[in-house]
Amino acid sequence: MAHTDHKCSGHFSAPSVHQTLDELEFERGIWSAALNGDLTDVKRQLEKDIDADKTDKSGYTALHYASRNGHLDVVRTLVDAGAHVDVTTRSGHATPLHRAAYMGHTDIVKFLLSRGADPVSRDSDEMTPLHKASERGRLECVTVLLEASPVTRTARDSRGRTPSDCAKDDTIKHLLS
């Protein structure tokens, strides 16, 4: 009879054996909890005096991850714990508002705006959150961002495009014209 228990066959290896220290730090850190929407773990990390604006190796904060992945309760908790709503990533200069708008998380866009997020902020491509929402066809986010800052309608990115130029959706193009 063939032996099928791979734990004893010499072919089993634990995933953690192959993790880098950066990967292990991410997995155990506040970023992974925020990415996965694990509010209990986020609160536990914050109770251990972890800085709500601590960046991972790539320059992202937990607020960037929670905003991109639609975890409003985690976003609220992080902001209440002192996370800055306009914190930018190192390389792309994206804010949590850029990330939420791009993914179409209207509730998070509204919350971040209510807490002072800058709708005119620009990433490294000079795109505003309105550009990001427009290019992805996020009509509700476009509407909210346009109400928050009508001036962004005419903002031009590094390629000279307005949010309307980035839009593929005719409804959004019409709204922005």
Side-chain angles (χ1 to χ4, degrees), residues 16-32 54-60 65 90:
S16 63
V17 171
H18 298 289
Q19 283 183 311
T20 66
L21 289 175
D22 288 331
E23 290 169 337
L24 190 58
E25 181 184 19
F26 180 89
E27 185 179 294
R28 291 183 179 168
I30 194 168
W31 315 285
S32 180
K54 183 176 180 180
T55 59
D56 69 2
K57 166 185 139 164
S58 301
Y60 291 89
Y65 287 111
R90 270 194 298 264

Short mmCIF file of all heavy atoms in Angstrom, two decimals, residues 16-32 54-60 65 90:
data_model
loop_
_atom_site.label_atom_id
_atom_site.label_comp_id
_atom_site.label_asym_id
_atom_site.label_seq_id
_atom_site.Cartn_x
_atom_site.Cartn_y
_atom_site.Cartn_z
N SER A 16 6.18 28.88 5.75
CA SER A 16 6.92 29.92 6.43
C SER A 16 8.43 29.77 6.27
O SER A 16 9.17 30.73 6.41
CB SER A 16 6.54 29.98 7.91
OG SER A 16 6.89 28.78 8.53
N VAL A 17 8.90 28.57 5.96
CA VAL A 17 10.32 28.34 5.78
C VAL A 17 10.85 29.15 4.60
O VAL A 17 11.98 29.58 4.58
CB VAL A 17 10.61 26.83 5.58
CG1 VAL A 17 12.04 26.59 5.18
CG2 VAL A 17 10.26 26.06 6.83
N HIS A 18 10.00 29.40 3.63
CA HIS A 18 10.40 30.09 2.41
C HIS A 18 10.04 31.56 2.41
O HIS A 18 10.28 32.26 1.44
CB HIS A 18 9.78 29.41 1.19
CG HIS A 18 10.24 27.99 1.04
ND1 HIS A 18 11.51 27.66 0.66
CD2 HIS A 18 9.59 26.83 1.25
CE1 HIS A 18 11.65 26.35 0.63
NE2 HIS A 18 10.50 25.81 0.99
N GLN A 19 9.44 32.08 3.46
CA GLN A 19 9.07 33.48 3.53
C GLN A 19 10.30 34.33 3.85
O GLN A 19 11.14 33.94 4.64
CB GLN A 19 8.03 33.74 4.64
CG GLN A 19 6.65 33.33 4.27
CD GLN A 19 5.67 33.68 5.38
OE1 GLN A 19 5.92 33.38 6.53
NE2 GLN A 19 4.58 34.32 5.01
N THR A 20 10.33 35.49 3.20
CA THR A 20 11.38 36.44 3.55
C THR A 20 10.98 37.12 4.86
O THR A 20 9.83 37.06 5.27
CB THR A 20 11.56 37.51 2.46
OG1 THR A 20 10.37 38.30 2.42
CG2 THR A 20 11.84 36.88 1.11
N LEU A 21 11.92 37.81 5.45
CA LEU A 21 11.60 38.54 6.68
C LEU A 21 10.57 39.64 6.40
O LEU A 21 9.69 39.89 7.22
CB LEU A 21 12.87 39.15 7.29
CG LEU A 21 13.84 38.14 7.91
CD1 LEU A 21 15.10 38.84 8.38
CD2 LEU A 21 13.18 37.40 9.05
N ASP A 22 10.66 40.28 5.24
CA ASP A 22 9.68 41.30 4.87
C ASP A 22 8.28 40.71 4.74
O ASP A 22 7.30 41.29 5.18
CB ASP A 22 10.06 41.99 3.56
CG ASP A 22 11.25 42.92 3.70
OD1 ASP A 22 11.45 43.47 4.81
OD2 ASP A 22 11.97 43.11 2.70
N GLU A 23 8.19 39.52 4.12
CA GLU A 23 6.89 38.87 3.98
C GLU A 23 6.32 38.46 5.33
O GLU A 23 5.13 38.62 5.58
CB GLU A 23 7.01 37.62 3.08
CG GLU A 23 7.28 37.94 1.63
CD GLU A 23 7.67 36.72 0.82
OE1 GLU A 23 8.15 35.72 1.39
OE2 GLU A 23 7.50 36.77 -0.40
N LEU A 24 7.17 37.98 6.18
CA LEU A 24 6.74 37.58 7.52
C LEU A 24 6.28 38.79 8.32
O LEU A 24 5.24 38.75 8.98
CB LEU A 24 7.89 36.86 8.24
CG LEU A 24 7.55 36.18 9.56
CD1 LEU A 24 6.45 35.14 9.36
CD2 LEU A 24 8.79 35.52 10.13
N GLU A 25 7.02 39.90 8.21
CA GLU A 25 6.63 41.13 8.91
C GLU A 25 5.27 41.62 8.39
O GLU A 25 4.41 42.02 9.17
CB GLU A 25 7.67 42.23 8.73
CG GLU A 25 7.30 43.49 9.47
CD GLU A 25 8.26 44.65 9.25
OE1 GLU A 25 9.03 44.65 8.27
OE2 GLU A 25 8.22 45.57 10.07
N PHE A 26 5.07 41.57 7.06
CA PHE A 26 3.80 42.00 6.49
C PHE A 26 2.66 41.12 7.01
O PHE A 26 1.62 41.62 7.44
CB PHE A 26 3.84 41.94 4.96
CG PHE A 26 2.56 42.37 4.31
CD1 PHE A 26 2.35 43.70 4.01
CD2 PHE A 26 1.54 41.46 4.05
CE1 PHE A 26 1.16 44.12 3.43
CE2 PHE A 26 0.35 41.86 3.49
CZ PHE A 26 0.16 43.21 3.17
N GLU A 27 2.87 39.81 6.95
CA GLU A 27 1.83 38.87 7.36
C GLU A 27 1.42 39.05 8.82
O GLU A 27 0.24 38.95 9.15
CB GLU A 27 2.32 37.44 7.13
CG GLU A 27 1.28 36.39 7.41
CD GLU A 27 1.82 35.01 7.14
OE1 GLU A 27 2.10 34.71 5.97
OE2 GLU A 27 1.97 34.25 8.12
N ARG A 28 2.38 39.34 9.66
CA ARG A 28 2.10 39.50 11.09
C ARG A 28 1.74 40.93 11.46
O ARG A 28 1.33 41.19 12.57
CB ARG A 28 3.30 39.05 11.91
CG ARG A 28 3.51 37.56 11.83
CD ARG A 28 4.65 37.14 12.69
NE ARG A 28 4.82 35.70 12.64
CZ ARG A 28 5.86 35.07 13.10
NH1 ARG A 28 6.85 35.73 13.67
NH2 ARG A 28 5.94 33.77 13.00
N GLY A 29 1.94 41.86 10.54
CA GLY A 29 1.74 43.27 10.82
C GLY A 29 0.31 43.73 10.60
O GLY A 29 -0.58 42.98 10.18
N ILE A 30 0.13 45.00 10.83
CA ILE A 30 -1.18 45.63 10.71
C ILE A 30 -1.67 45.67 9.26
O ILE A 30 -2.86 45.68 8.99
CB ILE A 30 -1.16 47.04 11.35
CG1 ILE A 30 -2.59 47.55 11.55
CG2 ILE A 30 -0.27 47.99 10.54
CD1 ILE A 30 -2.66 48.79 12.43
N TRP A 31 -0.73 45.64 8.31
CA TRP A 31 -1.10 45.75 6.90
C TRP A 31 -1.91 44.55 6.43
O TRP A 31 -2.91 44.71 5.75
CB TRP A 31 0.15 45.90 6.03
CG TRP A 31 1.13 46.87 6.60
CD1 TRP A 31 1.02 48.24 6.58
CD2 TRP A 31 2.32 46.56 7.29
NE1 TRP A 31 2.10 48.80 7.23
CE2 TRP A 31 2.92 47.79 7.67
CE3 TRP A 31 2.95 45.37 7.63
CZ2 TRP A 31 4.11 47.85 8.36
CZ3 TRP A 31 4.15 45.43 8.32
CH2 TRP A 31 4.71 46.67 8.68
N SER A 32 -1.49 43.37 6.80
CA SER A 32 -2.21 42.16 6.41
C SER A 32 -3.60 42.14 7.03
O SER A 32 -4.58 41.78 6.38
CB SER A 32 -1.42 40.92 6.84
OG SER A 32 -2.10 39.74 6.46
N LYS A 54 2.26 53.50 10.07
CA LYS A 54 3.46 52.72 9.78
C LYS A 54 3.38 52.17 8.36
O LYS A 54 2.35 51.64 7.95
CB LYS A 54 3.60 51.56 10.79
CG LYS A 54 4.85 50.76 10.60
CD LYS A 54 4.99 49.69 11.68
CE LYS A 54 6.27 48.92 11.45
NZ LYS A 54 6.46 47.88 12.46
N THR A 55 4.47 52.32 7.61
CA THR A 55 4.48 51.83 6.23
C THR A 55 5.13 50.46 6.14
O THR A 55 6.02 50.13 6.93
CB THR A 55 5.22 52.80 5.30
OG1 THR A 55 6.56 52.96 5.76
CG2 THR A 55 4.52 54.15 5.22
N ASP A 56 4.69 49.71 5.17
CA ASP A 56 5.34 48.43 4.88
C ASP A 56 6.54 48.69 3.97
O ASP A 56 6.86 49.83 3.65
CB ASP A 56 4.35 47.43 4.28
CG ASP A 56 3.88 47.78 2.87
OD1 ASP A 56 4.33 48.79 2.29
OD2 ASP A 56 3.03 47.04 2.33
N LYS A 57 7.19 47.65 3.56
CA LYS A 57 8.39 47.75 2.73
C LYS A 57 8.13 48.51 1.43
O LYS A 57 9.01 49.19 0.90
CB LYS A 57 8.89 46.34 2.46
CG LYS A 57 9.90 46.21 1.37
CD LYS A 57 10.20 44.76 1.12
CE LYS A 57 10.29 44.60 -0.36
NZ LYS A 57 10.85 43.49 -0.92
N SER A 58 6.91 48.44 0.92
CA SER A 58 6.56 49.11 -0.34
C SER A 58 6.05 50.54 -0.13
O SER A 58 5.73 51.22 -1.10
CB SER A 58 5.49 48.30 -1.08
OG SER A 58 5.96 47.01 -1.35
N GLY A 59 5.96 50.96 1.12
CA GLY A 59 5.53 52.33 1.40
C GLY A 59 4.03 52.52 1.54
O GLY A 59 3.54 53.64 1.52
N TYR A 60 3.30 51.43 1.71
CA TYR A 60 1.85 51.50 1.90
C TYR A 60 1.53 51.43 3.39
O TYR A 60 2.20 50.71 4.14
CB TYR A 60 1.14 50.34 1.19
CG TYR A 60 1.18 50.44 -0.30
CD1 TYR A 60 2.23 49.90 -1.03
CD2 TYR A 60 0.15 51.08 -1.00
CE1 TYR A 60 2.27 49.99 -2.41
CE2 TYR A 60 0.18 51.18 -2.38
CZ TYR A 60 1.25 50.63 -3.08
OH TYR A 60 1.28 50.73 -4.44
N TYR A 65 -4.35 49.85 2.33
CA TYR A 65 -4.87 48.49 2.09
C TYR A 65 -6.36 48.39 2.40
O TYR A 65 -7.12 47.82 1.61
CB TYR A 65 -4.08 47.47 2.91
CG TYR A 65 -2.69 47.22 2.38
CD1 TYR A 65 -1.57 47.64 3.09
CD2 TYR A 65 -2.49 46.58 1.16
CE1 TYR A 65 -0.29 47.42 2.60
CE2 TYR A 65 -1.22 46.36 0.66
CZ TYR A 65 -0.12 46.78 1.38
OH TYR A 65 1.15 46.57 0.89
N ARG A 90 5.20 55.87 -1.20
CA ARG A 90 6.51 56.39 -1.58
C ARG A 90 6.67 56.54 -3.09
O ARG A 90 7.07 57.58 -3.57
CB ARG A 90 7.61 55.47 -1.06
CG ARG A 90 8.10 55.82 0.31
CD ARG A 90 9.40 55.11 0.63
NE ARG A 90 9.28 53.67 0.64
CZ ARG A 90 9.09 52.95 1.73
NH1 ARG A 90 9.01 53.53 2.90
NH2 ARG A 90 8.99 51.64 1.66
#
